[in-house]
Amino acid sequence: MDALLLARIQFGFTISFHIIFPALTIGLASYLAVLEGLWLRTGRKVYLDLYQFWIKVFAVAFGMGVVSGLVMAYQFGTNWSNFSRFAGGVTGPLLAYEVLTAFFLEAGFLGVMLFGRERVGPALHFVSTIAVAVGTLISATWILASNSWMQTPQGHEIIDGRVVPVDWFRVIFNPSFPYRLAHTVTAAYLATALMVGGAAAWHLLRGHDNTRVRTMLSMALWMLLAAAPLQAVIGDQHGLNTLEHQPAKLAAIEGHRERTPEGEGVPLKLFGWPDMQAEVTRYAVEIPRAGSLLLAHSWDGQIPALKDFAPEDRPNSTIVFWTFRAMVGLGVLMIALAFWGLWLRRGQRLFTQRAFLRFALALSPAGLVAILAGWYTTEIGRQPWIVYGLMRTADAVSPQHSTSQVGFTLALFVVVYLVVFGAGTAYGLRLIAKGPAGDEAERPPWGGPGETRTPMRPLSAAPEDDQADTDIRADAAGSRMDAAMEGERDGH
């Protein structure tokens, strides 16, 4: 391995950790806003209890997302200095806009959201939750604008070997940006819905059946039913965009080596093993003409083949062929879960069908795995370019770093990340395993306003009506005892 490959692995490793936590914060922030809005509108305590439960998980994910993101920003200057020098005129301002508009908004209202429910009015607290949710979406917008420009660059000129933006509207709204933004945000909602639904299924399988757990599962499945089919449509449109602007990536994803004769149509390779050296896809299982129907939306449409490009311009088909199929396969399972849940609602078996609950639990990490698989497909499929058509990845790496230096920092990252984020993830899973309060929490606690406390005297926590009943029963018992003692004396 050389410094270039190690630098790529290091960035891929750190971003694999980072992308998980912002995806959860995007989905959980919107979920929390919905929960608080429903509580304010209906007054049902179940929504407030779920809000208080999931906000703890959100806080953990938000903190780990911020920490993991800082490391990536430094790598642009350390491992990828040539890229920063070349494209910093575009990527630098976009990242600065993300901090100024999104991160400040999130950080400013996060404190009120986490600690201000008892200190500000319900309306202002709801505004704070919405502000944090909107901030996460704005943050995703700027980050994806930067990444999409690297995939489909436009709105710039190259002057003295550096990119100079000349039309910021075209820079931001580049050809792949709308599809990438919609695809990523929808994926974040799907990942969150699967996590919430999986947590509910876990509790139901262990007999923790209460209104809050059922509400969690029901809301998660409604989101899944709406978002999973929509994601398939967005993915199809994104594929057409990739066919137009990054044909080599699409050819690598499909393992399509040579053009088929005109009129025959392109087969769809379901499975196989793309061999980059032999330039053949081994053990291919194909569906005739299905590739033309799905990729070109015509019976005999053609798509570019890998051999249409020079060998040095081809992405690694072996990797992206399988990462793409992992993403699509998990998406199909998500759709199946959503419609299975819809069918079970008709028979009132949604919360008791154990096979379904086990399936929901098994798919709980599927959204995050699909996000990683999609991200690998996008980034590895762009190779050998770091800015598509403008700058190669080999030219973007810092020239002054040796293999041993990059290897040492990579090993250090692996150890620190596994310890820090492993502990954070374990803590988040413990919070989820604890679960929300049961149905008994519907009754107001008597140990204090809004809190369950242990009273100093046992009977001091009893409601007044219950206390009166207790006193009546005690008086009756005392009267019976006095009567019994009188009888004993008379008998003697």
Side-chain angles (χ1 to χ4, degrees):
M1 292 187 180
D2 56 9
L4 170 62
L5 182 57
L6 288 173
R8 290 180 59 191
I9 294 174
Q10 185 179 116
F11 196 85
F13 176 79
T14 54
I15 201 173
S16 296
F17 274 84
H18 174 69
I19 196 174
I20 290 175
F21 302 119
L24 291 178
T25 57
I26 290 171
L28 282 176
S30 297
Y31 181 49
L32 291 171
V34 171
L35 287 173
E36 190 167 17
L38 289 172
W39 172 62
L40 291 174
R41 182 174 180 178
T42 65
R44 293 186 60 195
K45 193 171 181 293
V46 60
Y47 297 121
L48 178 60
D49 290 340
L50 287 178
Y51 180 94
Q52 292 175 321
F53 171 66
W54 283 107
I55 197 173
K56 300 174 185 177
V57 181
F58 170 80
V60 173
F62 187 91
M64 291 193 291
V66 171
V67 173
S68 60
L70 291 174
V71 177
M72 291 172 48
Y74 281 109
Q75 287 185 72
F76 285 121
T78 56
N79 292 354
W80 304 99
S81 59
N82 284 346
F83 165 74
S84 298
R85 187 179 299 110
F86 174 75
V90 170
T91 59
L94 291 177
L95 294 178
Y97 298 156
E98 188 266 339
V99 173
L100 291 173
T101 61
F103 186 74
F104 283 1
L105 180 65
E106 296 173 70
F109 285 95
L110 183 64
V112 179
M113 178 182 173
L114 293 177
F115 310 110
R117 198 175 67 84
E118 302 295 335
R119 294 172 174 82
V120 300
L124 180 56
H125 190 268
F126 182 47
V127 169
S128 300
T129 304
I130 292 178
V132 172
V134 171
T136 61
L137 295 174
I138 295 175
S139 179
T141 300
W142 289 117
I143 296 298
L144 289 170
S146 177
N147 180 265
S148 298
W149 179 85
M150 294 167 63
Q151 302 279 346
T152 52
Q154 67 172 19
H156 65 275
E157 293 180 0
I158 299 179
I159 302 175
D160 296 331
R162 299 189 181 189
V163 171
V164 178
V166 295
D167 188 341
W168 276 108
F169 185 86
R170 297 184 68 236
V171 167
I172 296 170
F173 296 96
N174 56 79
S176 65
F177 168 72
Y179 306 98
R180 203 176 304 278
L181 177 64
H183 199 56
T184 303
V185 172
T186 306
Y189 288 155
L190 283 171
T192 304
L194 287 167
M195 183 184 68
V196 173
W202 189 87
H203 286 287
L204 288 171
L205 286 170
R206 280 153 184 77
H208 306 156
D209 191 350
N210 56 64
T211 304
R212 284 142 190 81
V213 171
R214 290 190 171 209
T215 302
M216 283 166 50
L217 182 60
S218 180
M219 293 181 70
L221 289 174
W222 283 125
M223 170 56 73
L224 201 64
L225 184 64
L230 177 63
Q231 184 73 313
V233 176
I234 296 173
D236 175 70
Q237 295 301 308
H238 194 186
L240 294 178
N241 179 265
T242 303
L243 174 61
E244 179 180 358
H245 296 281
Q246 294 179 298
K249 177 190 291 188
L250 186 68
I253 289 173
E254 297 303 323
H256 187 49
R257 297 285 173 178
E258 298 180 355
R259 285 184 177 265
T260 55
E262 291 292 337
E264 290 188 9
V266 179
L268 177 66
K269 293 180 175 62
L270 295 178
F271 305 104
W273 186 260
D275 190 331
M276 294 294 293
Q277 293 183 347
E279 296 188 346
V280 64
T281 301
R282 304 184 185 278
Y283 319 114
V285 178
E286 301 178 342
I287 300 178
R289 294 188 179 272
S292 295
L293 292 174
L294 290 176
L295 303 173
H297 290 188
S298 66
W299 180 249
D300 54 359
Q302 296 292 318
I303 65 171
L306 278 176
K307 289 187 177 180
D308 293 343
F309 305 93
E312 63 273 14
D313 293 338
R314 300 172 189 172
N316 191 319
S317 179
T318 307
I319 298 177
V320 297
F321 182 89
W322 282 106
T323 54
F324 178 79
R325 276 151 184 78
M327 178 185 65
V328 173
L330 290 173
V332 172
L333 293 178
M334 295 174 201
I335 295 175
L337 177 65
F339 280 96
W340 189 2
L342 182 64
W343 179 69
L344 289 176
R345 287 181 192 271
R346 300 180 58 186
Q348 303 295 320
R349 293 179 295 155
L350 181 64
F351 308 108
T352 57
Q353 184 23 278
R354 297 187 69 83
F356 171 77
L357 295 176
R358 291 192 185 98
F359 186 38
L361 178 60
L363 281 187
S364 56
L368 297 176
V369 175
I371 288 175
L372 288 174
W375 193 259
Y376 294 154
T377 303
T378 296
E379 298 303 303
I380 298 174
R382 183 184 58 198
Q383 301 302 320
W385 306 97
I386 192 168
V387 182
Y388 197 79
L390 299 181
M391 186 181 201
R392 292 181 179 271
T393 307
D395 299 327
V397 71
S398 299
Q400 64 272 22
H401 293 332
S402 65
T403 302
S404 59
Q405 290 173 326
V406 182
F408 173 76
T409 56
L410 172 59
L412 192 62
F413 274 129
V414 171
V415 173
V416 173
Y417 269 52
L418 290 179
V419 172
V420 174
F421 297 113
T425 302
Y427 178 67
L429 292 175
R430 285 182 59 188
L431 290 175
I432 294 174
K434 186 177 180 180
D439 284 337
E440 64 276 7
E442 285 284 357
R443 186 174 188 174
W446 292 94
E451 297 182 11
T452 302
R453 299 177 182 174
T454 302
M456 295 179 63
R457 292 176 291 112
L459 293 181
S460 65
E464 294 180 0
D465 293 340
D466 293 348
Q467 183 65 56
D469 293 341
T470 302
D471 294 339
I472 293 172
R473 288 193 295 269
D475 292 340
S479 299
R480 288 194 297 270
M481 183 174 292
D482 292 340
M485 292 178 67
E486 288 292 334
E488 288 185 6
R489 284 197 294 269
D490 293 342
H492 288 299

